[in-house]
Amino acid sequence: MEMLRRMILEKGRIIGDDILKTDSFLNHQIDPVLMDAIGQAFYHRFCDHGITKILTVEASGIAVAGATARLFGVPYIFAKKQNACNLDNEIYTSEIYSFTKKTTCTIRVAKEYLQSQDRVLVLDDFLANGQALLGLIEICKKAGATVLGCGIVIEKAFQGGAKKVEEKGIEVFSLVRIGRFENAKPVFL
Ligand code: 5GP
């Protein structure tokens, strides 16, 4: 993912000790050419896994999941952070703690969209401490669905999230892995 590395180096900004701001191409304004390339990379890695659903969490995962799902020809689901309905017994939920915001939020997926026969690829834009992925995996478990792997656009490897997911026997495939920040620049692994 040379294009992704170049954009991170040219347009990314480091905030504090551990946040990489990528709002100009990934999280707020979105580069469609990059997004197509991201979808292709995930498709190439997981196309022989018999994926039936792609699962992510709002908001930044949605563009990644959409670009990828189009190539797989399967639906994509984004877990909601807001309780938009009162069908509490018709949804799967999981609690996610955000180390950056220091808050816990509930994510929700309607039961009708995730079923026990589903073979799921879980996608997200960033992997840090692994809470978002673990929450999405827990929702799949509640549904009885099988998680075939996780795809991440930018892994901050120094925050240890991949290990927590791999301990569950689930592969984490990251398009770029950042080992540390040095002189206000990310250093790729
Ligand atoms: P985790 O749950 O793995 O600790 O954090 C992953 C989630 O937090 C992602 O869904 C992403 O939205 C957000 N996140 C974590 N670190 C960063 C970062 O450095 N930059 C951005 N833009 N988002 C991040």
Side-chain angles (χ1 to χ4, degrees):
M1 284 301 289
E2 199 42 51
M3 187 193 323
L4 176 58
R5 284 171 192 244
R6 200 179 59 244
M7 284 196 188
I8 292 171
L9 289 175
E10 285 173 5
K11 302 178 178 179
R13 281 198 303 124
I14 292 165
I15 313 285
D17 292 334
D18 55 12
I19 295 295
L20 175 63
K21 211 164 159 43
T22 50
D23 275 12
S24 65
F25 58 97
L26 184 63
N27 300 114
H28 189 24
Q29 173 172 266
I30 291 175
D31 186 305
V33 176
L34 174 69
M35 209 42 84
D36 281 350
I38 287 170
Q40 279 162 21
F42 288 138
Y43 180 70
H44 188 253
R45 175 68 193 88
F46 292 104
C47 61
D48 60 355
H49 284 52
I51 301 294
T52 64
K53 289 271 163 75
I54 290 177
L55 177 64
T56 189
V57 58
E58 65 177 354
S60 302
I62 296 176
V64 175
T68 309
R70 263 188 291 283
L71 297 172
F72 278 92
V74 301
Y76 62 104
I77 308 166
F78 63 91
K80 294 193 175 196
K81 291 178 177 167
Q82 304 295 327
N83 196 5
C85 60
N86 46 15
L87 300 170
D88 276 349
N89 54 348
E90 302 299 335
I91 55 175
Y92 299 114
T93 62
S94 179
E95 304 293 311
I96 294 187
Y97 180 73
S98 165
F99 285 91
T100 43
K101 293 181 190 148
K102 310 266 183 283
T103 54
T104 300
C105 82
T106 304
I107 58 169
R108 306 163 174 85
V109 170
K111 286 184 179 174
E112 66 179 305
Y113 302 130
L114 195 58
Q115 276 139 13
S116 58
Q117 67 271 24
D118 275 321
R119 297 167 61 83
V120 182
L121 173 61
V122 176
L123 297 180
D124 206 1
D125 57 342
F126 273 85
L127 174 58
N129 297 281
Q131 299 304 300
L133 286 191
L134 291 174
L136 292 167
I137 290 166
E138 187 190 3
I139 282 179
C140 290
K141 196 172 171 212
K142 287 180 177 175
T146 309
V147 178
L148 274 300
C150 295
I152 292 293
V153 179
I154 301 174
E155 176 186 341
K156 294 181 293 175
F158 55 90
Q159 291 178 293
K163 191 164 175 284
K164 292 179 201 159
V165 175
E166 286 161 356
E167 277 167 1
K168 294 187 171 292
I170 297 170
E171 178 194 354
V172 177
F173 173 67
S174 303
L175 302 185
V176 300
R177 301 179 70 230
I178 294 172
R180 63 183 187 282
F181 294 148
E182 199 173 274
N183 301 324
K185 287 282 169 203
V187 179
F188 297 113
L189 294 177

